[in-house]
Amino acid sequence: MSQVLDDIDKAILNLLQDDATLPLKTVAEQVHVSIATAQRRIQALISNGVITKQVAIVDPNKVGYGLTAVVMIEMARSNTSMQHRFERLMNTQPQVMSCYEVSGDADFMLMVNAKNMSDYHRFTTGLLTYENNVRNFKSQFVMNFTRACP
């Protein structure tokens, strides 16, 4: 069940998605509410699971990961336990930035950061195997990244 969000909640979410470190006072001023109201609403968004995590987004190039790949995974066997097993495995891999279960020809989409092509090759040969229920995978490499929204 989804929570009904009003315009103030949406404005708060937009601000926090852009910069989760904004001071409460700044958030309150920008959405035209009191600090107490902003704090209460943010806490409600967290408690209700609308805000699931606050993270730092790291530039992979600045930390030595110059290769980013979008990887489409087709599973060999499509059953819930095998899919959960694959998800758990991907969650343990520091190179996997995101793992999405998707519709269409693929079963999963991964965002993978690697130091270089050799590092990426080690990742694929070690993890994207039939042993891990992967029938097939297709890699697309990110050429440039432009943030979609300000």
Side-chain angles (χ1 to χ4, degrees), residues 12-146:
I12 289 171
L13 289 172
N14 284 333
L15 287 170
L16 295 179
Q17 282 182 303
D18 191 46
D19 183 358
T21 66
L22 281 176
L24 198 51
K25 181 180 179 198
T26 302
V27 173
E29 288 171 353
Q30 293 204 13
V31 299
H32 310 292
V33 298
S34 71
I35 293 173
T37 298
Q39 184 176 28
R40 182 178 43 77
R41 284 179 176 254
I42 291 169
Q43 187 54 52
L45 291 166
I46 293 168
S47 296
N48 292 326
V50 175
I51 296 174
T52 58
K53 188 183 259 189
Q54 295 179 23
V55 298
I57 299 173
V58 177
D59 181 338
N61 289 303
K62 303 251 173 149
V63 293
Y65 287 85
L67 184 71
T68 301
V70 177
V71 187
M72 304 306 289
I73 308 286
E74 181 185 347
M75 305 305 284
R77 293 175 305 283
S78 193
N79 65 55
T80 304
S81 67
M82 293 302 285
Q83 288 177 313
H84 288 287
R85 180 176 172 260
F86 182 78
E87 289 172 342
R88 284 191 304 273
L89 176 64
M90 291 302 107
N91 283 334
T92 67
Q93 303 306 309
Q95 291 175 290
V96 176
M97 299 297 100
S98 309
C99 176
Y100 301 95
E101 184 178 358
V102 296
S103 63
D105 294 334
D107 296 298
F108 289 96
M109 181 185 84
L110 307 177
M111 292 295 294
V112 177
N113 286 336
K115 293 176 183 174
N116 51 42
M117 188 56 76
S118 295
D119 187 39
Y120 180 71
H121 186 251
R122 278 189 297 280
F123 171 82
T124 60
T125 57
L127 293 167
L128 304 184
T129 63
Y130 192 78
E131 175 183 294
N132 289 323
N133 195 34
V134 175
R135 173 183 291 138
N136 188 26
F137 69 92
K138 294 179 182 168
S139 305
Q140 295 182 316
F141 298 97
V142 175
M143 303 294 289
N144 188 30
F145 174 74
T146 303

